[in-house]
Amino acid sequence: MKRVAVVGASLAGVRAAQELRAQGYDGGIVLIGEERHLPYDRPPLSKAFLAGTASPASLELLDAGDLASLALDFRLGVRATALEPSNRRVLLSDGGSVHADGVVIATGGRARTLPGFEGAFVLRTLDDAVALRAALVPGVRVVVVGAGFIGAEVASTCRSLGLDVVVVEALPAPLAPVLGPELAAVCARLHRDHGTDLRCGVAVAGMSEAGVHLADGSLIPADVVVTGVGMAPATDWLAGSGLPVGNGVHTDAGLATSLPAVVAVGDVARYHADGVGRRHEHWTNASEQAPVAVANLLAGRTTRTYEPSGYVWSDQYSGTLQLAGHPRPDDTLSFVDGDPSSSSFVATFQRDGATVGVFALNNAKLFNRLRRQALRRPATV
């Protein structure tokens, strides 16, 4: 391969470029990014950056030494509009194109929006965070729709700025489908203990200048509305490429697509293992997938398979939540240290006599030990 095009300049794309060099590839690497910014880290956007305690420069994923050693050909501020496998070409929104022998698809996704919520803020990009931060002036009333990780972190940051916050969640409790009812109740307690008005089991109908309208006809007054209802994989540019897409780019267990010399990584990758398609929207996943995808791209076939750690964390109010593994809400929950009413505890998820997940609140040391001991991953081939 003389040239590899990495389409997507966020964490997954950067890790893929780094892995290409680490695995001995010395050809050209073109890094294509829709945003005009150099690659940056997203987790601080809802926390330190939104709070005004971190600068854009502090978020950058590559320093001067990295840029020199990677020797990347950046194409920033342009969007990939099509993939032409027969011509080995990626078409760009500025009318240009990139010819490449290999392609890494790392386009991530875009924040989902809700009908009737035109004018609401979302938080996916640095520009989103800049716009929201400018709106969070003293005295504004904030309504956050969605109590997932992003919504909870935005609410937490807004409370740290002294703002009145209401969080509206359609589920009976935050993250209940992932954590189960007992741990979901812990997440709800974090909101309420820090002065956030959490309203669960509530459906929204839309928004106006007055605030957020609920399905029951009531109104929550708001000056700033933020929707945190997930993301949609960015696959529209692949129409006509021959690649199967549907809730992400479909790949095999090694992140290789059905097209030769084309792999996918990060939020956009829907990999199939044991006949089941899986897609993860976590920072760790984007980082962990790159070595596997790059190895298979360079080998020209699937020589390694991806085994996710399932690790995710979230900083909310006074708590750091950590989860590893692949638990289900109906797994048996056992508290190893502390209990759900305490400010620090560790719990494990058990299924068929085996530990399938570990969760912690403010107890990183024990969490990491149990994660290493109980969730050892088998070696990949």
Side-chain angles (χ1 to χ4, degrees):
M1 288 186 184
K2 293 184 178 180
R3 179 185 285 179
V4 173
V6 179
V7 188
S10 194
L11 177 68
V14 167
R15 291 290 184 262
Q18 291 173 322
E19 277 299 320
L20 282 163
R21 295 303 187 213
Q23 295 187 31
Y25 175 75
D26 60 3
I29 303 175
V30 182
L31 190 61
I32 301 165
E34 184 175 0
E35 297 181 63
R36 67 185 188 278
H37 311 288
L38 283 170
Y40 59 87
D41 209 16
R42 294 188 191 277
L45 294 181
S46 58
K47 298 182 277 287
F49 183 82
L50 191 61
T53 58
S55 66
S58 70
L59 309 183
E60 292 180 358
L61 289 169
L62 301 170
D63 60 23
D66 296 323
L67 294 172
S69 63
L70 292 173
L72 302 176
D73 177 2
F74 282 102
R75 308 289 178 90
L76 299 178
V78 294
R79 183 172 59 87
T81 58
L83 174 63
E84 295 184 344
S86 59
N87 299 322
R88 296 185 177 182
R89 186 167 65 161
V90 177
L91 304 186
L92 305 177
S93 59
D94 63 359
S97 63
V98 173
H99 291 265
D101 305 300
V103 175
V104 179
I105 299 172
T107 43
R110 296 180 176 85
R112 293 187 186 276
T113 56
L114 292 172
F117 278 82
E118 294 75 17
F121 291 91
V122 295
L123 185 54
R124 176 74 183 174
T125 68
L126 178 57
D127 290 341
D128 292 337
V130 169
L132 177 56
R133 187 167 74 173
L136 298 179
V137 297
V140 298
R141 299 163 298 178
V142 181
V143 173
V144 179
V145 181
F149 287 131
I150 291 296
E153 289 169 3
V154 169
S156 171
T157 299
C158 289
R159 286 297 299 142
S160 75
L161 296 173
L163 303 177
D164 290 335
V165 182
V166 179
V167 175
V168 181
E169 171 57 59
L171 294 170
L175 299 169
V178 177
L179 300 177
E182 196 164 8
L183 293 180
V186 171
C187 296
R189 188 191 76 214
L190 282 174
H191 287 289
R192 291 172 176 137
D193 284 353
H194 291 84
T196 295
D197 182 356
L198 174 66
R199 305 188 190 183
C200 292
V202 175
V204 295
M207 63 175 282
S208 67
E209 291 184 0
V212 172
H213 298 267
L214 304 182
D216 63 6
S218 60
L219 172 73
I220 303 176
D223 304 298
V224 174
V225 178
V226 185
T227 56
V229 291
M231 53 81 72
T235 59
D236 56 315
W237 67 284
L238 294 168
S241 67
L243 276 178
V245 296
N247 190 25
V249 177
H250 293 209
T251 76
D252 67 8
L255 303 163
T257 74
S258 57
L259 294 176
V262 178
V263 299
V265 292
D267 292 354
V268 77
R270 182 172 175 80
Y271 68 97
H272 287 70
D274 301 323
V276 178
R278 298 179 176 88
R279 190 175 63 80
H280 307 292
E281 299 173 8
H282 305 317
W283 188 98
T284 308
N285 177 75
S287 186
E288 290 177 338
Q289 285 186 341
V292 176
V294 166
N296 294 331
L297 177 67
L298 297 177
R301 60 189 179 89
T302 298
T303 62
R304 295 177 58 182
T305 56
Y306 176 58
E307 184 70 27
S309 68
Y311 176 65
V312 61
W313 82 96
S314 180
D315 295 318
Q316 302 176 21
Y317 306 102
S318 59
T320 296
L321 288 66
Q322 293 175 285
L323 174 68
H326 305 281
R328 298 194 301 244
D330 58 348
D331 290 331
T332 301
L333 188 67
S334 300
F335 287 87
V336 179
D337 182 72
D339 61 66
S341 66
S342 59
S343 61
S344 172
F345 66 82
V346 178
T348 61
F349 295 86
Q350 307 291 324
R351 188 188 316 147
D352 299 328
T355 300
V356 294
V358 181
F359 179 90
L361 173 65
N362 295 331
N363 196 332
K365 184 175 181 180
L366 181 55
F367 171 86
N368 288 325
R369 178 161 65 83
L370 289 175
R371 177 187 174 192
R372 289 192 300 268
Q373 292 175 348
L375 299 176
R376 287 194 180 98
R377 290 181 287 169
T380 57
V381 295

